[in-house]
Amino acid sequence: NAGVTQTPKFQVLKTGQSMTLQCAQDMNHNSMYWYRQDPGMGLRLIYYSASEGTTDKGEVPNGYNVSRLNKREFSLRLESAAPSQTSVYFCASRAQREGSEQFFGPGTRLTVL
Amino acid sequence: EDQVTQSPEALRLQEGESSSLNCSYTVSGLRGLFWYRQDPGKGPEFLFTLYSAGEEKEKERLKATLTKKESFLHITAPKPEDSATYLCAVQATSGTYKYIFGTGTRLKVLA
């Protein structure tokens, strides 16, 4: 099992460019999440998907869109990148049972110039 | 408002010098408290889940404990390979799908 995979690992964008971060999990989990991690601020939730076909906003959704393509895949799109979106992005998934832990991908380090 | 606070922000230990990391939380109701380890340039790696006050979990040199207001991650006789950032997160009963993370404790163990 690969667990949670993310692509790309690194990306540099210019202000105004768009891109999609890809995430896939092979653990048959229902719930998937996108976080960003910035120094001194911890992990902040951007969007989550409780199950296939549903998505909800988290703490910091502005400037992002998501697509739950199927049970395995959950993508994060930046339509018009801004320097404030420079961060490390993590995808996570978890099983449906109450109190279950999240499993994280390796992250995408994004720099917006 | 649900909140998680970790202390200290950073900790330097000599190899073999035991210590504890703290995670204080404020939630309306606790569904679970989670500890993760994060190495530089990698994603968080799950360590423990604690569900109720008084519960304890152990793994090698790590032991996690839980009270109604805080959790401790005790590190006994640490080794340099224990150097990492340790993250604490809570899942509240009010938000079934949401997890609230602390900002972490950066641990450095010197040989």
Side-chain angles (χ1 to χ4, degrees):
Chain A
N1 285 352
V4 180
T5 57
Q6 293 183 236
T7 56
K9 290 189 186 301
F10 301 93
Q11 183 72 47
V12 179
L13 294 178
K14 294 181 180 178
T15 297
Q17 288 185 317
S18 63
M19 78 161 294
T20 300
L21 282 65
Q22 306 287 354
C23 173
Q25 52 92 9
D26 63 1
M27 295 174 283
N28 201 35
H29 288 166
N30 286 313
S31 302
M32 297 185 73
Y33 301 76
W34 277 107
Y35 291 91
R36 59 178 290 173
Q37 187 175 42
D38 303 290
M41 301 195 72
L43 285 159
R44 292 184 292 167
L45 181 63
I46 305 171
Y47 272 93
Y48 67 98
S49 171
S51 61
E52 186 179 356
T54 68
T55 60
D56 284 288
K57 295 178 180 180
E59 182 185 355
V60 289
N62 291 345
Y64 305 95
N65 285 301
V66 290
S67 295
R68 183 74 183 266
L69 304 171
N70 48 54
K71 190 171 185 179
R72 290 186 63 249
E73 299 172 288
F74 188 37
S75 63
L76 178 71
R77 183 162 179 83
L78 287 69
E79 291 290 352
S80 178
S84 61
Q85 294 179 304
T86 293
S87 187
V88 182
Y89 292 86
F90 289 101
C91 177
S93 71
R94 74 171 187 99
Q96 192 71 9
R97 61 182 171 81
E98 287 188 5
S100 59
E101 68 275 18
Q102 295 178 307
F103 292 86
F104 286 83
T108 295
R109 185 174 296 274
L110 174 67
T111 301
V112 183
L113 303 175
Chain B
E1 182 184 349
D2 298 334
Q3 197 168 0
V4 175
T5 303
Q6 291 188 247
S7 61
E9 286 188 19
L11 182 63
R12 290 166 69 93
L13 299 173
Q14 289 296 129
E15 184 172 4
E17 180 187 1
S18 301
S19 188
S20 297
L21 313 182
N22 178 262
C23 172
S24 298
Y25 63 92
T26 305
V27 293
S28 51
L30 182 68
R31 193 178 295 279
L33 184 141
F34 307 86
W35 281 99
Y36 291 86
R37 170 192 170 122
Q38 186 174 23
D39 293 301
K42 297 191 176 182
E45 176 187 348
F46 171 72
L47 292 173
F48 303 110
T49 307
L50 301 167
Y51 295 105
S52 57
E55 189 174 0
E56 299 181 352
K57 294 264 179 84
E58 283 189 72
K59 180 180 179 180
E60 296 181 356
R61 294 176 294 281
L62 301 177
K63 179 180 177 180
T65 62
L66 181 65
T67 72
K68 288 187 177 180
K69 293 184 177 182
E70 58 192 350
S71 176
F72 291 94
L73 185 65
H74 306 279
I75 304 176
T76 302
K79 297 182 177 181
E81 53 261 42
D82 294 322
S83 297
T85 296
Y86 291 85
L87 302 174
C88 171
V90 299
Q91 186 185 25
T93 54
S94 59
T96 307
Y97 298 101
K98 294 184 181 179
Y99 296 72
I100 304 150
F101 281 83
T103 54
T105 294
R106 295 190 311 279
L107 174 66
K108 178 73 173 178
V109 181
L110 304 171

